[in-house]
Amino acid sequence: MMLSIAHRGASGYEPGNTLLAIRKALELDADIIELDVQLTKDRKLVVCHDQKVWVGYKYLSITHHTLETVQMIRLAKNQHIPSLREALDLINKKAAVNIELKDRRSAAPVCRLINEYVSKKRWGYRHFIVSSFIKDELLRIKKLSPRIRIGLLYNKPTRNLSAAIKQYKPYSVHLHFVAVTRDMVRELHEQGIKVFVWTVNSMRLIDRMRDYRVDGVFSDYPDRI
Ligand code: G3P
Ligand code: CA
């Protein structure tokens, strides 16, 4: 079975990385919900793709403002930027969560939050995958909490995948669809690594990924998978 991964929530239907998009992904029975995570000035984790957000007349930098200020920003459909806690509480184990670290300082607070949800709120480590293009942050996650599953994220073909797998010992590799080949999927599976592919919206490509036997596909339309 190929898992459906709702990219930024069901972002083809609702504004990405908002509670509306998460709710829609749950309604559509996504297996995993992918969320981008940034850190505010007061070191709170928020769900947002970009570090800078357009507020109508200028860009506001999340890093330079507190959670309170960041949450005053109005997005499309009158949505606010959710804290990661709000997002997790809404998901409430009805789907797993792929937290994508977008900030270089986010490994430690993300580990703390995951460990809190596991120890106090009956979540399991199986409910989380932490991925990032910033490989150092993933190493920090591994050091701080070896039980948290990490996903190596790539945006173009890489020739050093084997070396990276030895170094990071990931649970999964997250590849852009242009970079995936059938052989690559087979080789990764032989090493026990899951293959997730982003971001696949067309039925033709989704079918091709199924044919390649990838483990999961990120899509803005998780109901297509
Ligand atoms: O995690 C896969 C994908 O979300 C990475 O790209 O720009 O959509 O965060 P981006
Ligand atoms: Ca992402």
Side-chain angles (χ1 to χ4, degrees), residues 1-5 31-32 129 171-174 180 184-186 188-190 192-197 209-210 212-218 225:
M1 189 191 75
M2 188 166 80
L3 298 176
S4 62
I5 310 172
D31 297 301
I32 304 177
I129 301 170
Y171 167 76
S172 51
V173 168
H174 303 189
V180 189
M184 202 186 252
V185 177
R186 190 180 32 77
L188 285 164
H189 281 166
E190 280 166 10
I193 309 288
K194 303 276 184 205
V195 182
F196 298 139
V197 180
M209 293 304 125
R210 188 172 282 112
Y212 285 4
R213 299 186 179 278
V214 310
D215 300 282
V217 157
F218 295 80
I225 296 156

Side-chain angles (χ1 to χ4, degrees), residues 13 59 82 104 111 118 123 126 131 137 202:
Y13 298 104
Y59 280 102
R104 296 190 171 273
C111 275
V118 170
W123 287 58
R126 68 183 183 285
S131 64
E137 283 302 283
S202 85

Side-chain angles (χ1 to χ4, degrees), residues 7-8 34-36 49 100 102 153:
H7 182 238
R8 310 179 190 175
E34 188 254 4
L35 300 170
D36 301 300
H49 186 268
E100 187 195 332
K102 293 287 194 193
L153 180 52

Side-chain angles (χ1 to χ4, degrees), residues 37-129:
V37 167
Q38 303 275 357
L39 201 61
T40 62
K41 186 181 175 191
D42 50 346
R43 306 229 155 205
K44 300 289 192 288
L45 296 161
V46 290
V47 179
C48 189
H49 186 268
D50 297 318
Q51 202 257 314
K52 289 189 170 137
V53 184
W54 181 249
V55 290
Y57 59 102
K58 63 167 184 177
Y59 280 102
L60 185 140
S61 161
I62 289 183
T63 324
H64 297 135
H65 291 87
T66 61
L67 176 67
E68 195 184 351
T69 306
V70 166
Q71 293 210 303
M72 285 195 286
I73 299 170
R74 285 303 104 185
L75 305 172
K77 296 202 176 176
N78 204 28
Q79 290 298 289
H80 68 282
I81 293 175
S83 66
L84 184 55
R85 279 179 186 279
E86 280 179 280
L88 295 182
D89 290 342
L90 175 59
I91 295 168
N92 193 23
K93 294 172 274 188
K94 292 185 206 91
V97 185
N98 174 194
I99 298 174
E100 187 195 332
L101 308 180
K102 293 287 194 193
D103 188 295
R104 296 190 171 273
R105 309 157 303 154
S106 50
V110 163
C111 275
R112 276 198 295 277
L113 194 66
I114 291 177
N115 285 325
E116 179 191 323
Y117 274 68
V118 170
S119 62
K120 301 208 172 110
K121 300 195 179 195
R122 295 171 168 261
W123 287 58
Y125 287 107
R126 68 183 183 285
H127 290 115
F128 295 99
I129 301 170

